[in-house]
Amino acid sequence: MKTNFHIITLSFFSLIMCNLCAAQVPDNEKKVIIASKILAENISITTYDSAPEIEIKPFVYITDGQKMIENGTLDIIKELTIKGQIPKANYVFVSTIDAKTSQDKRNTYFFCNEKYMQFFEKELAPTIESQLSRKLKPKERSLIGISFGGLNAVYFSGKTELFQNYALLSPITYPCKEALSSIAFSENENLNIFISTGKNDAENYVGPLTQLYKSKGYTVENLETEGAHDFNNWNGQMEQMLNKLLK
């Protein structure tokens, strides 16, 4: 299938236009920009392969990617991997920061945005996974979202077959009731769901979500922490959450 978008590869010294390539940087990281035709915007991506020597590994897609990296999430994943505390995987950090204007588009992307879902289905995943020798199954893909990114993950879980594993960290669902109804009427099967909340956090949304997912027969794991609605709380869940998604 032909794609109608281009990839701009970022290296430390220059910005280079190419088709499906990315500059190799330390620690098995690659940074690319996808010029999305669907969104009519440039989306920054950082990938991390935790074990290049292993060909077959699951993929973990993480929204709010740039913020997660800036707040230490990637460093924690590297440390947990080195210590053997989480399975080997490919990680895809998807930024919400516009590559040209530096504007944060998270509210536009995350509030039940069908075009954002189509970007994942038709541009992001095909591009990132294009160099694999085989096509991934949904059970080999996970999606992680924090706060409104959790809302986005809820919406995706009811509307797309791309992922089978989801982590909703402090999900805030009030901006879009369609996300909940999408689950209720979804034909997706065998989803694997991790839902968490800290104190004075997203606890009002976790109960209804949990019951809705369980009513569909999905596997659900809940985590309640002493943390708040912040990166310290979310980063502290990485080991438990990733072992749930990648088992």
Side-chain angles (χ1 to χ4, degrees), residues 76-215:
I76 289 171
I77 288 172
K78 290 178 181 178
E79 182 179 357
L80 291 172
T81 302
I82 291 171
K83 292 180 177 179
Q85 294 174 276
I86 57 174
K88 306 295 193 302
N90 286 295
Y91 295 90
V92 183
F93 290 82
V94 187
S95 179
T96 60
I97 309 299
D98 186 279
K100 286 186 176 180
T101 66
S102 298
Q103 181 181 358
D104 190 348
K105 298 292 187 69
R106 70 191 309 268
N107 289 4
T108 300
Y109 296 154
F110 291 165
F111 291 4
C112 298
N113 188 328
E114 186 173 359
K115 286 188 176 181
Y116 194 57
M117 182 180 69
Q118 291 174 354
F119 162 69
F120 271 72
E121 294 175 327
K122 299 179 180 180
E123 295 179 337
L124 176 60
T127 300
I128 296 300
E129 301 168 13
S130 63
Q131 297 183 25
L132 300 178
S133 60
R134 63 192 180 87
K135 185 176 180 180
L136 291 182
K137 299 176 181 179
K139 67 180 181 180
E140 297 175 280
R141 297 190 193 94
S142 300
L143 180 65
I144 300 172
I146 59 172
S147 191
F148 286 149
L151 167 61
N152 177 74
V154 170
Y155 179 70
F156 277 26
S157 71
K159 301 286 285 188
T160 182
E161 297 179 358
L162 191 64
F163 303 95
Q164 188 168 314
N165 309 292
Y166 290 89
L168 322 175
L169 310 185
S170 304
I172 306 296
T173 60
Y174 73 84
C176 179
K177 293 181 180 179
E178 182 186 349
L180 300 181
S181 63
S182 74
I183 299 171
F185 294 101
S186 177
E187 296 182 0
N188 288 340
E189 298 180 349
N190 303 317
L191 296 190
N192 180 33
I193 311 290
F194 179 94
I195 309 177
S196 72
T197 181
K199 282 191 172 181
N200 300 314
D201 187 7
E203 59 266 47
N204 291 337
Y205 306 99
V206 167
L209 269 177
T210 299
Q211 293 305 313
L212 186 55
Y213 280 128
K214 286 185 175 180
S215 74

